[in-house]
Amino acid sequence: MDKFTQLTGVAAPLPIINVDTDMIIPKDYLKTIKRTGLGTGLFAEMRYNEDGSENPDFVLNKPAYRKAQILVAGDNFGCGSSREHAPWALLDFGIRCVISTSFADIFYNNCFKNGILPIRVSQENLDKLMDDAQRGSNATVSIDLEALTIKGPDGGTISFEIDEFRRYCMLNGLDDIGLTMEKASKIDSFEASNAQARPWA
């Protein structure tokens, strides 16, 4: 998993509440267990017309937001089913950070496991960030996970909080496997001593 320390990028506004995982990645795209290639299906029902052409009105199809790395979204983002394909699709598109007032618990946890930083802010601060994001290509936002700050295009700063363990994992690029591998020497030592003590095992 890639480390997340600082991120500066275009923020795309998605002022919709209760965006569920089926909206993030429709069920038609769930046939794969690969984490790559799902970016094309991200928000597919909103991004594409019935004939498969792009919907020019959807935010991620607008030239200013095609390479957005940050998503500023409405309340209760990621609700619905527990599909891990949702953060996979966001990450494959290029989204590394989602900012909202609240997230569904399973989606929130899945984000950390896949290198996406979900940030909770107050409604007042979300309104400010949504306004910043609506500026198009000038909507450059800087996230500093070490300092726990969000800096808007005008230099205004918003502080946020995050669980210290999750922060440690993101800063060091550690998913569940990475955390286990940090203990590799202790695991090897245990296996060696266990093999001597219980050679029949």
Side-chain angles (χ1 to χ4, degrees):
M1 190 172 80
D2 291 337
K3 294 180 180 181
F4 190 116
T5 53
Q6 297 176 334
L7 172 67
T8 297
V10 171
L14 191 69
I16 304 173
I17 64 170
N18 301 322
V19 172
D20 63 27
T21 52
D22 191 50
M23 293 172 67
I24 297 171
I25 184 73
K27 62 181 182 301
D28 297 349
Y29 295 88
L30 304 186
K31 298 172 184 177
T32 180
I33 57 172
K34 293 181 180 178
R35 300 187 184 199
T36 57
L38 290 170
T40 56
L42 181 67
F43 298 119
E45 293 178 356
M46 292 186 282
R47 272 174 75 193
Y48 305 113
N49 298 314
E50 289 186 7
D51 63 1
S53 62
E54 288 188 352
N55 172 9
D57 295 326
F58 184 66
V59 61
L60 296 181
N61 289 337
K62 296 179 179 180
Y65 300 110
R66 284 186 177 273
K67 295 185 178 179
Q69 294 179 280
I70 301 163
L71 192 64
V72 182
D75 188 53
N76 196 30
F77 189 84
C79 56
S81 65
S82 60
R83 62 189 67 169
E84 197 167 359
H85 290 68
W88 291 355
L90 286 163
L91 191 63
D92 192 58
F93 180 86
I95 302 293
R96 290 295 315 275
C97 177
V98 182
I99 304 172
S100 181
T101 52
S102 68
F103 297 90
D105 287 343
I106 294 175
F107 174 82
Y108 186 75
N109 292 329
N110 281 340
C111 280
F112 287 107
K113 292 180 179 181
N114 289 281
I116 296 174
L117 178 63
I119 298 177
R120 294 187 183 114
V121 296
S122 66
Q123 185 62 56
E124 179 184 2
N125 284 331
L126 186 76
D127 291 342
K128 291 177 184 176
L129 291 166
M130 194 71 74
D131 182 63
D132 287 340
Q134 288 170 346
R135 299 183 189 185
S137 57
N138 294 321
T140 301
V141 173
S142 296
I143 312 293
D144 189 329
L145 183 56
E146 294 177 318
L148 296 174
T149 58
I150 306 168
K151 186 175 289 186
D154 293 333
T157 301
I158 295 170
S159 297
F160 64 93
E161 296 179 355
I162 191 171
D163 175 80
E164 189 57 35
F165 174 71
R166 285 174 166 152
R167 179 168 171 264
Y168 170 82
C169 291
M170 292 291 289
L171 287 171
N172 292 281
L174 297 172
D175 57 11
D176 291 346
I177 295 174
L179 280 167
T180 301
M181 293 310 296
E182 278 198 320
K183 311 293 184 184
S185 61
K186 291 182 178 180
I187 293 170
D188 291 342
S189 177
F190 169 79
E191 291 290 349
S193 61
N194 187 58
Q196 286 186 339
R198 304 173 64 206
W200 62 87

